[in-house]
Structures are given as structure tokens and as C-alpha cells.
Amino acid sequence: MKIELLWFDGCPNHKAADKLLSQTLSELDISDPIQRIEVPDLATGEKTKFAGSPSIRIDDIDIDPTYEDTGDYTPRCRVYFTSDGFKGVPEKAWIVDSLGRASQEIAALNS
């Protein structure tokens, strides 16, 4: 499973997102490594299709169920519309759901 955390240094929320992602993987007993990708400039943003910091993708799919690619890959902070309002980190349930979907797809391919 490909697990990515994309961030840029000017964002105060990437450390909290990293901690949330790491804890969730541990709770679910998933040992796949997190690819931590710093996005310091627009060229890297365009190459990675950066949605803002922090962004979490599982198998190249953003975990935010409402995510739409706007084509703007400028390094910047990202705000999520969660069930508790606007937050700087995504909901844990989105991570769990995305990991579950990816695990089911892997299981289907292996059967």
C-alpha cells in the first residue's frame, strides 16, 4: 500500500497530521511505510499534484472524500471541512476509510 503525507515547512499542521496518520496505522496494525514528501516550491507542487499542507493520499487517492483537484499546486496550508467544522487536519475516519478501501482492493487482487 502506498501511503503519502505531503507537506510544506510553513504549515503548522503537518506534524499533527503525521502523528494522526502514524497512530492510525499503528492502531490498525498496518506496517506499510509513510512516504513523507516535502513540497518546498511550485515545481515540486506541480510534480506531486500538491493539494496543500498537509495532504494524505492512500494509493494515490486523497483521503478527503470531497476532494476535487483544482489544478493549483502552490505550496500552502490546507483547510478541511470536517464534521466539526473547518480544521487544519483531516478526520481520522477518512484515513481509516481510505486504508480499508485500499486493503480491500489489495485483497481482491490477491484472491
Side-chain angles (χ1 to χ4, degrees):
M1 187 178 325
K2 183 177 176 184
I3 303 168
E4 298 173 298
L5 172 67
L6 295 93
W7 58 281
F8 88 102
D9 198 38
C11 173
N13 299 313
H14 77 273
K15 290 180 184 176
D18 193 341
K19 183 177 179 180
L20 175 64
L21 178 58
S22 295
Q23 287 176 338
T24 304
L25 292 171
S26 178
E27 289 169 9
L28 297 173
D29 200 29
I30 296 173
S31 59
D32 297 66
I34 300 170
Q35 296 177 26
R36 293 171 175 87
I37 303 166
E38 182 177 6
V39 182
D41 52 43
L42 181 58
T44 307
E46 289 174 343
K47 180 180 173 187
T48 60
K49 296 191 176 196
F50 186 55
S53 180
S55 288
I56 299 171
R57 294 192 295 223
I58 309 297
D59 291 340
D60 297 319
I61 299 172
D62 196 280
I63 63 163
D64 181 347
T66 65
Y67 173 70
E68 292 183 24
D69 187 343
T70 65
D72 179 4
Y73 308 122
T74 308
R76 66 197 178 287
C77 288
R78 182 171 178 179
V79 178
Y80 293 91
F81 185 66
T82 71
S83 57
D84 293 325
F86 291 104
K87 302 282 182 182
V89 294
E91 291 194 33
K92 179 178 180 176
W94 298 348
I95 298 171
V96 172
D97 290 347
S98 294
L99 291 167
R101 276 192 299 277
S103 294
Q104 289 174 350
E105 289 172 9
I106 290 168
L109 290 173
N110 292 329
S111 60

